[in-house]
Every structure is written in C-alpha cells, then in structure tokens.
C-alpha cells in the first residue's frame, strides 16, 4: 500500500510539479491550494505526511499546523517555504514541523527527506486484525468487514470502532471517547460523539437487528 501525502501549496504550477514528481515515486498524493478542507481529510483518511507552504491565502501555514497539533492531529509535516531566516525556520519547528526546506529547493532532496521521515514515522510491522462477533477490522489495510462483506467507513469511524472492540462490554463515556479517539476533551463536542456513533451504527447494522453498540442513558456507550 503506497504512502499517502497531502500537499498544501497556493502556487498552482508548483503544486502540479510536486504532485507529478511524488506520484512518479509511487506516492498517493492529494494536493490543495488552501487549507479549507485539509483537516476534514486528515480526520477521515489515514495520511502519512503533510507538505505545507507557509504563505497561504487566509492562514499562515505554520499557524495552521499548530492548530492541527492543538486538535490532536500529529501527522508529520515538512514545511516548503520561501520564509528562510533563522527565526522563521525555528518558528516552523516550534509550531509542529518535523522538517523544513526553503524555496527554491531541490526535488531530489525533498524526496529523500520524505522517505527519511516516512521510515521513522510509519509503522512497518503487520498489526493483523481484530474481531468482534461478525465485525472484522484489518489493522494493516484499515478496512472493515461485516459478516464477510466490506463496509466503507471513515478513518474516524475506524478508530472509534477499534476503541469499542478493545473495550468490549465496557461502558465508555463521551469524555473517554473524546480523549482517546478525537484527542480532544472539550465537553461542547459531546454532540459530535453522538452523531459519529449514530453514523457508525447505521453502517455496521443498517437493518438495526444486531444492536452492537448500546446507548447507556446518561452514561455513555457499550459494545456487546
């Protein structure tokens, strides 16, 4: 399975060049001209690396990465920026960067740095699968099978179901789920938990006959 890389770069010609060269190296590349929908993708899919410009429309790139870190998103980041003073480079690292390259840059060096970070950060050992009744999570492919049929779920739904299976027959309250799945403990996110669990229940039990995930009123949820 190829590594998935997100590139955020507002110069369209440069974005096309990056997408072309990284795709030639076998990477699965998704390019963005701004940050508007990046966080949604990071929450829904398994992304291995972000290449981030800093001079972007609407938001400064390192400030955006710092906001991702504050929200619990720890995807590795390489800054690719014209900001090249010592203080600006230091600022990039302090705001959550893992590596920093200044423009103009050497494409071959960028690819080598990408591969170096991926070797350090991407798990290479097989994690196998985890099962509960007729639910089967493949931890390597990050896919779900229900009664031997593949069911499409998002990254967040996969992580949520994994947490339930690890803690089957245990009541998990919303605070626990926010901290361990969303990496966020704000109580005003309770509605987000409720909506996500409802969607997950609809996907794994569309006929509503198996009652995998039970709502324990006033407390939380339990997989049984």
């Amino acid at each position: 399975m190829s590594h998935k890389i997100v590139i955020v770069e507002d110069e369209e010609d440069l974005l096309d060049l990056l997408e072309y060269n990284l795709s030639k190296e076998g990477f699965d590349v998704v390019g963005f001209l701004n940050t508007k929908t990046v966080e949604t993708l990071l929450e829904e899919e398994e992304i291995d690396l972000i290449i981030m410009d800093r001079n972007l429309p609407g938001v400064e790139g390192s400030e955006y990465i710092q906001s991702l870190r504050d929200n619990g998103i720890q995807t590795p980041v390489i800054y690719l920026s014209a900001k090249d003073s010592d203080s600006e480079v230091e600022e990039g690292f302090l705001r959550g960067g893992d590596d920093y390259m200044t423009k103009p840059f050497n494409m071959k060096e960028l690819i080598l740095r990408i591969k170096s970070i991926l070797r350090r950060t991407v798990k290479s050992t097989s994690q196998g699968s985890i099962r509960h009744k007729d639910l089967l999570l493949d931890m390597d492919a990050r896919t779900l099978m229900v009664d031997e049929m593949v069911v499409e779920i998002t990254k967040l739904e996969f992580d949520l179901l994994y947490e339930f299976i690890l803690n089957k027959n245990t009541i998990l309250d919303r605070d626990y789920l926010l901290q361990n799945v969303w990496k966020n403990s704000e109580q005003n996110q309770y509605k987000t938990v409720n909506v996500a669990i409802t969607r997950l229940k609809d996907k794994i039990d569309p006929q509503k006959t198996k009652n995998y995930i039970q709502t324990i009123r006033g407390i939380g949820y339990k997989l049984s």
Side-chain angles (χ1 to χ4, degrees):
M1 187 169 61
S2 61
H3 298 307
K4 193 157 193 173
I5 297 176
V6 163
I7 305 172
V8 187
E9 169 58 63
D10 68 335
E11 294 182 35
E12 194 164 355
D13 289 345
L14 179 54
L15 179 60
D16 288 344
L17 181 66
L18 287 164
E19 289 179 314
Y20 172 76
N21 280 277
L22 297 191
S23 296
K24 269 180 55 179
E25 288 293 318
F27 297 117
D28 185 0
V29 184
V30 183
F32 294 91
L33 293 168
N34 56 60
T35 60
K36 289 180 181 177
T37 58
V38 172
E39 189 165 359
T40 300
L41 179 69
L42 294 172
E43 290 173 346
E44 292 182 349
E45 297 190 28
E46 197 71 20
I47 304 300
D48 297 306
L49 180 69
I50 302 169
I51 297 175
M52 174 67 63
D53 187 16
R54 292 187 61 182
N55 295 312
L56 294 168
V59 64
E60 200 278 339
S62 68
E63 292 179 3
Y64 181 74
I65 294 301
Q66 187 169 52
S67 73
L68 293 183
R69 299 294 188 243
D70 291 343
N71 289 333
I73 295 174
Q74 300 301 323
T75 307
V77 171
I78 297 177
Y79 290 115
L80 192 59
S81 175
K83 293 188 174 185
D84 59 359
S85 71
D86 290 347
S87 61
E88 287 170 327
V89 173
E90 180 182 7
E91 183 179 59
F93 281 105
L94 291 174
R95 289 177 174 170
D98 297 272
D99 201 350
Y100 201 110
M101 289 189 69
T102 58
K103 299 176 181 177
F105 65 97
N106 179 284
M107 186 67 70
K108 186 173 182 179
E109 181 183 353
L110 173 62
I111 291 168
L112 290 171
R113 290 188 184 217
I114 289 170
K115 291 179 177 179
S116 176
I117 285 184
L118 292 175
R119 281 196 300 271
R120 297 198 307 268
T121 59
V122 176
K123 295 179 181 178
S124 59
T125 56
S126 173
Q127 301 180 64
S129 60
I130 182 171
R131 178 183 290 274
H132 174 73
K133 296 182 178 176
D134 60 0
L135 304 175
L136 178 66
L137 287 177
D138 184 320
M139 302 306 297
D140 296 317
R142 291 187 67 85
T143 56
L144 167 67
M145 296 187 72
V146 181
D147 197 20
E148 309 305 321
M149 298 289 291
V150 175
V151 173
E152 295 292 333
I153 58 175
T154 66
K155 174 183 179 293
L156 175 66
E157 290 163 348
F158 186 98
D159 293 340
L160 185 57
L161 183 55
Y162 176 68
E163 198 66 39
F164 274 119
I165 294 177
L166 285 183
N167 296 279
K168 58 188 175 184
N169 298 315
T170 300
I171 299 173
L172 304 181
D173 63 27
R174 293 172 184 82
D175 286 324
Y176 176 90
L177 292 170
L178 282 169
Q179 291 170 5
N180 290 275
V181 178
W182 277 263
K183 313 299 182 186
N184 185 336
S185 59
E186 295 182 21
Q187 291 187 359
N188 61 8
Q189 297 297 317
Y190 282 179
K191 184 177 180 182
T192 300
V193 177
N194 298 342
V195 169
I197 290 176
T198 297
R199 288 177 178 167
L200 178 60
K201 289 167 71 173
D202 288 343
K203 289 184 178 181
I204 64 177
D205 184 19
Q207 304 303 318
K208 305 189 187 309
T209 59
K210 299 181 180 180
N211 199 28
Y212 297 109
I213 301 173
Q214 301 172 11
T215 301
I216 310 301
R217 190 172 298 276
I219 303 177
Y221 300 91
K222 179 177 73 170
L223 180 75
S224 60

